Amino acid sequence: MNRAVLPFILGLPLLAAACISALAVCAALVFNPSWRADYSTATAETREVILSDGSRLTLAPRSAINVSIDGVQREVTLVRGEVFFDVVHDAQKPFEVRSDDAVIRVLGTAFDVARAENGLAVEVRDGTVGVNKQYRLTAGQRLWIDRQSGVGTQSSVAPTEVAGWINGTQFFENASVAQVIEQLDRYQRGWIVIKDPALANKRVTGLYDMRDTRRALDALVAPIGGEVSAYSPLLIVIGNTTSTTEK
């Protein structure tokens, strides 16, 4: 759905907003790139894939990948979403993950790659990971590559927290509200929209249950002056408590 039309939708009566949201869902399905992927997941669905080399991949909700494994290469292209990789070691045939301009290269390790609207995140649970021949990450390290600037920022992450979403919960440290909501949106049919950019940019730290979207949203925004409003079963809006009048 084109987010430019969302302010227009928010000004419509609830029935009209619900109808437009439903039409947008249909359009999104028609143009969904996951239809052309080798493996994909739907909203709130996770999936484990075992490749021919024995490597195990776990796809997060709304994720899609293409796979190419032969006698020369082991390559996965992340089309959308997030995937946890548990790669079988093969010194003769490195394993590569590609997403836009990023190339993640390993011999055998466990790591998570998440493709977001404004960047790419790589987190390492075990082993060593190389990214774009420029960064080298070991267990407990995280790399964020900003999509607009291309600048990479490294930080620490507890190895046990890497790909926590597999068990239903995810820990965020100093993340923007927008980043957390982008993850939660994968578990929500329809859309979650933030009305106030200032609220979207606020930083939060916390553990959220990805399986209970509404509860997670309340826990996310209530402490920072936000409020959750359901305009239809397909449209949830996050606003400030002082400006939200309908719930």
Side-chain angles (χ1 to χ4, degrees):
M1 180 179 183
N2 186 343
R3 295 187 181 273
V5 306
L6 288 172
F8 169 71
I9 290 178
L10 296 180
L12 294 175
L14 295 184
L15 179 59
C19 292
I20 291 179
S21 297
L23 290 172
V25 169
C26 295
L29 290 174
V30 171
F31 295 104
N32 188 349
S34 299
W35 284 14
R36 298 183 296 275
D38 292 333
Y39 302 97
S40 62
T41 52
T43 299
E45 175 193 14
T46 60
R47 179 181 181 183
E48 183 177 80
V49 175
I50 302 178
L51 302 183
S52 59
D53 68 339
S55 297
R56 292 178 178 268
L57 280 57
T58 306
L59 279 68
R62 292 189 191 170
S63 299
I65 57 172
N66 287 317
V67 177
S68 178
I69 295 183
D70 52 33
V72 178
Q73 66 177 1
R74 297 188 293 169
E75 182 179 295
V76 172
T77 300
L78 179 59
V79 178
R80 67 182 295 192
E82 182 171 6
V83 179
F84 177 71
F85 297 84
D86 191 354
V87 177
V88 170
H89 182 84
D90 186 342
Q92 304 303 316
K93 195 188 303 182
F95 191 102
E96 291 188 347
V97 179
R98 295 178 177 270
S99 180
D100 292 333
D101 295 330
V103 179
I104 299 105
R105 185 181 175 92
V106 305
L107 296 178
T109 183
F111 63 102
D112 186 87
V113 182
R115 176 173 175 165
E117 289 185 2
N118 57 346
L120 185 77
V122 181
E123 296 181 347
V124 183
R125 178 184 290 182
D126 180 64
T128 303
V129 173
V131 183
N132 289 351
K133 298 182 180 180
Q134 183 178 0
Y135 304 98
R136 186 177 178 85
L137 310 176
T138 57
Q141 291 188 314
R142 179 181 191 270
L143 174 68
W144 169 258
I145 301 178
D146 183 81
R147 187 179 302 278
Q148 185 173 5
S149 66
V151 174
T153 303
Q154 290 185 236
S155 58
S156 298
V157 59
T160 55
E161 293 172 358
V162 175
W165 52 266
I166 294 176
N167 297 319
T169 60
Q170 189 162 348
F171 180 77
F172 296 87
E173 182 175 4
N174 194 34
S176 70
V177 169
Q179 288 174 322
V180 179
I181 288 180
E182 184 177 356
Q183 293 285 70
L184 287 170
D185 195 40
R186 298 176 184 170
Y187 295 78
Q188 169 69 31
R189 298 189 185 281
W191 289 269
I192 305 171
V193 182
I194 314 173
K195 293 178 66 176
D196 184 359
L199 184 64
N201 291 327
K202 286 189 176 181
R203 316 300 292 190
V204 296
T205 295
L207 180 68
Y208 303 100
D209 188 345
M210 311 301 284
R211 298 161 297 188
D212 190 339
T213 307
R214 181 58 187 263
R215 183 178 179 183
L217 287 171
D218 287 333
L220 171 66
V221 302
I224 55 175
E227 190 172 26
V228 182
S229 300
Y231 277 69
S232 79
L234 297 175
L235 182 59
I236 292 179
V237 178
I238 309 298
N240 293 307
T241 53
T242 55
S243 60
T244 302
T245 59
E246 186 172 0
K247 196 169 186 177

